[in-house]
Amino acid sequence: MTTPTRAPAPAPAPTRAGAPATGRAPGSALRRTALYATLVALALVFLLPLLWMVITSLKTYTGAQQIPPTWLPDPISGYGYEQILNNSANPVLRWFANSMLAATAHALLVVATASMAAYALARMRFRGRGVLFALIVGTLFIPPTSLIIPNFLIVDELNWIDTLSVVIVPGAASAFGVFFLRQFFLSLPRELEEAAVLDGANQWQIFWKVVLPLSRPALATLAVLSFLTNWNDFLWPIFVLFSPETLTLPPGLGLLQGSYVTDYPVIMAGAVLASVPVLILFVLAQRHIIQGVSRSGLKG
């Protein structure tokens, strides 16, 4: 009995002269290298100011005034942090706590109001829905500075001047938040809500138990954006907050600037303190931010 013979292996396909054996195009490695070099250069452009801020906060007063400036602090000093943490005239830690409370409460209010309004505009049928949505979106084109005086008169009538309520409640009805969440809600499949209706769920139960759990990326994105907007707000607080005990961090750090001299280590130490919550928040929520923006139709 004859043994079966193995079929000969197919001959390798001819390659172009100079092409790698793996079949990868000669220019692919060069393009990848150029892409990585560009990304590294862009990362350095964005990280260098942050790095310079941290380094300057660790210098002494005379070290920060040196010309030409030096990159490495010599010696490393905690002078800037000692000044902002042990200064009774400028209670930076109190300002930090006020900013955390105001930004967190503001973000929660924005998410609560915007989610309910966006759900009504995305899922409920009522007369004038399109006109109402157009009016809400149209308010995005009004310059915020033109609303300072009307808002000031309103909060003055409510006796909110020089209280944290004045930086928490105004702006909680976010037109951008309504637009952003409405776009996300429109991308959710209606079949899930129809199934909930068949199970006997009412409109509120559908919103609370079906829509909101599916919208966590968009809600997290809006919460982060609202937190950052309130955290970095400088113009409105300087109009409505006066006493050192109620100041938030951005206008409070402005008081660290002297009239005739600039204490760079102290200012940079305050800036580092203000940047820490923002960086931590972004690192923790970046996955949700990417998902929320990609599904809401707001891709750049």
Side-chain angles (χ1 to χ4, degrees):
M1 183 174 62
T2 60
T3 59
T5 59
R6 180 178 299 175
T15 59
R16 292 181 299 169
T22 58
R24 184 177 297 170
S28 61
L30 182 61
R31 286 195 298 269
R32 186 178 293 104
T33 302
L35 175 62
Y36 289 158
T38 303
L39 293 176
V40 170
L42 289 175
L44 289 176
V45 169
F46 287 102
L47 289 177
L48 279 178
L50 181 62
L51 183 60
W52 180 258
M53 177 180 69
V54 175
I55 291 174
T56 306
S57 70
L58 296 175
K59 292 182 178 180
T60 60
Y61 176 79
T62 55
Q65 303 287 339
Q66 281 184 344
I67 297 178
T70 58
W71 267 102
L72 297 179
D74 185 23
I76 296 177
S77 172
Y79 159 77
Y81 296 95
E82 292 174 359
Q83 290 296 314
I84 65 172
L85 296 179
N86 299 321
N87 192 338
S88 58
N90 297 317
V92 178
L93 290 182
R94 178 65 179 268
W95 301 340
F96 181 88
N98 290 342
S99 287
M100 284 293 297
L101 177 60
T104 303
H106 177 78
L108 293 176
L109 279 177
V110 169
V111 170
T113 57
S115 60
M116 290 187 285
Y119 178 74
L121 293 170
R123 287 293 191 254
M124 295 182 180
R125 303 289 181 182
F126 55 90
R127 182 176 299 177
R129 183 181 65 165
V131 176
L132 180 60
F133 178 68
L135 290 175
I136 292 175
V137 174
T139 60
L140 293 173
F141 299 95
I142 301 176
T145 52
S146 65
L147 301 177
I148 290 179
I149 294 178
N151 286 336
F152 182 89
L153 295 177
I154 292 173
V155 297
D156 184 45
E157 289 293 330
L158 295 173
N159 294 322
W160 284 355
I161 297 296
D162 204 24
T163 65
L164 285 183
S165 299
V166 79
V167 291
I168 295 175
V169 179
S174 170
F176 171 78
V178 173
F179 169 74
F180 179 78
L181 290 182
R182 176 184 178 272
Q183 297 303 110
F184 189 91
F185 291 162
L186 289 175
S187 68
L188 298 177
R190 287 183 175 271
E191 290 77 11
L192 297 174
E193 300 172 44
E194 293 171 356
V197 171
L198 294 176
D199 289 338
N202 57 34
Q203 202 73 52
W204 174 257
Q205 290 172 329
I206 294 174
F207 170 72
W208 185 258
K209 296 184 178 180
V210 177
V211 174
L212 288 187
L214 294 174
S215 306
R216 286 188 185 127
L219 297 176
T221 302
L222 181 60
V224 170
L225 295 177
S226 303
F227 182 94
L228 295 180
T229 300
N230 188 278
W231 180 267
N232 295 321
D233 192 12
F234 175 81
L235 185 61
W236 175 247
I238 65 174
F239 277 95
V240 293
L241 299 177
F242 307 112
S243 60
E245 293 76 16
T246 58
L247 281 178
T248 53
L249 203 53
L253 292 179
L255 298 179
L256 301 179
Q257 172 72 37
S259 301
Y260 304 103
V261 295
T262 301
D263 199 339
Y264 290 108
V266 175
I267 294 175
M268 292 303 176
V272 170
L273 184 65
S275 302
V276 169
V278 175
L279 296 175
I280 294 176
L281 186 62
F282 177 76
V283 170
L284 295 178
Q286 60 177 335
R287 180 171 60 88
H288 296 292
I289 294 174
I290 294 172
Q291 292 179 1
V293 172
S294 61
R295 290 195 57 184
S296 63
L298 297 180
K299 291 181 282 187

